[in-house]
Amino acid sequence: MTDPVLAIDFGTSNTAVAVLEGGRPRLLPIEGGAATLPTAVFLPAGGGAMRIGAAAAEALIAGEDGRYMRALKSVLGTALFHEPRLIGRQRRTLADIVTAFLAGLKSRAEAAAGRRFDRVLSGRPVHFHTAAPDRDAAAEADLRACYLAAGFAQVEFALEPEAAALASPAPRRPGGLGLIVDIGGGTSDFSVFRTGGDGVRILGSHGIRLGGTDFDHAVSMAHAMPLLGLGGQLRRSLGDGLLPVPQAIYVDLSTWAMIPFLYTAETQRAVADLQRHALDPVPMRRLARVIGDHLGHDLAFAVERGKIAANSGLRGAGIDMGMVEPGLSVPVTPGSLNAALQPQRAPLEGALRETLFRAAVAPAEIDTVVLVGGSSLMALVESEARAVCPQARIERSEVFTAVADGLALATAPGAGLGAGLR
């Protein structure tokens, strides 16, 4: 690729862009003076311009009437991505919305850099969808089409953990091996690399569909959703006995990408039916309030804050559900957090070991583990990395911008990321 090239790390939760200047990456300020932009949009109910980033969250917090959306990257490669829906007085697809987000991002980057960008090198996870090659290919095709529709003339992709390897500190031993552990909002990606006189050499990469939004989902299901009726019982319409409350609404309410699609008449009818049959009507009244007043994202942000606080070991950490009912809250302790996230440990460990297998490297050979991505700050990530590579030093790169830095470095002539650059 020839200059000018815009490097974009389009993330599930946050997005960053960079350019290569004088052989070094330069992050562009795309959110005020900040180098990262929340990957979120707000579409006003009465029409008008779509808001992106912090402005989207501000509109949600202010209680403006409209549709807030986050984690759109997780829907790439699915039928839902191309399904037209009436949003903000217009029939749109999620593809239209992602395209508008990328067009806004392009405009901000050009204003910050003072030049036009027609070419983009975009990061992508090793796998958008685990063990689903057709959906994985469809997801990349979806994202490529959105970039082209947003005004870019040439689009190339590089694997995100391989890009992060380019921007990572070299292993402490000359010729030593490093392991990138990149835990983002929607995926976990890994690369084994060696740094030498000829630069960074990627020995193997792997990835799974597991990330921070999955952690949020697990915490919400274990802590917040029981206060809305999950785990309760229903009286039968006919006959004796009780039935368990179905989980489907709670699963979607705990999933960032699915929350906007719960605000329908069909969901309200289903919740009303649950209220009529609930053995304990109080939690169901709370659920009706969340759906009726469109409080799903407010609750999701509260869950995310509670997760972060408990992960940091803060005393009194919890999920403030006062937006649902005054004074309503649920504690999140390090122990309850660990219990909620326990099922995530096995796939994470398995992915780490699979990466080493693909690189034909033994765990003892890894000199340095480099943690990248906002969700790598979760304690279980470091503990699993230490368990798999106990002799390695643990380092943290620029967790939110390492991929963008590496993508910018990858635009240099001859930088190439092997199979990752295509």
Side-chain angles (χ1 to χ4, degrees), residues 163-187:
L166 289 182
S168 295
R172 54 184 171 180
R173 294 194 308 264
L177 298 177
L179 171 62
I180 296 291
V181 178
D182 178 9
I183 315 295
T187 59

Side-chain angles (χ1 to χ4, degrees), residues 217 221 225 230-231 244-255 258-259 262 267 270-271 274 287 291:
H217 173 81
M221 291 290 283
M225 293 302 127
L230 178 64
V245 170
Q247 293 193 17
I249 289 176
Y250 302 99
V251 170
D252 285 350
L253 191 56
S254 298
T255 304
M258 298 307 298
I259 292 170
L262 285 172
T267 304
V271 173
L274 291 175
L287 177 63
I291 298 300

Side-chain angles (χ1 to χ4, degrees), residues 317-334:
I319 301 169
D320 181 359
M321 300 174 65
M323 79 292 293
V324 179
E325 179 183 293
L328 186 66
S329 66
V330 58
V332 183
T333 66

Side-chain angles (χ1 to χ4, degrees), residues 141-169:
D142 283 345
L143 187 52
R144 181 186 299 278
C146 289
Y147 274 118
L148 293 172
F152 291 100
Q154 182 178 342
V155 183
E156 294 190 26
F157 291 96
L159 300 184
E160 290 161 357
E162 298 186 2
L166 289 182
S168 295

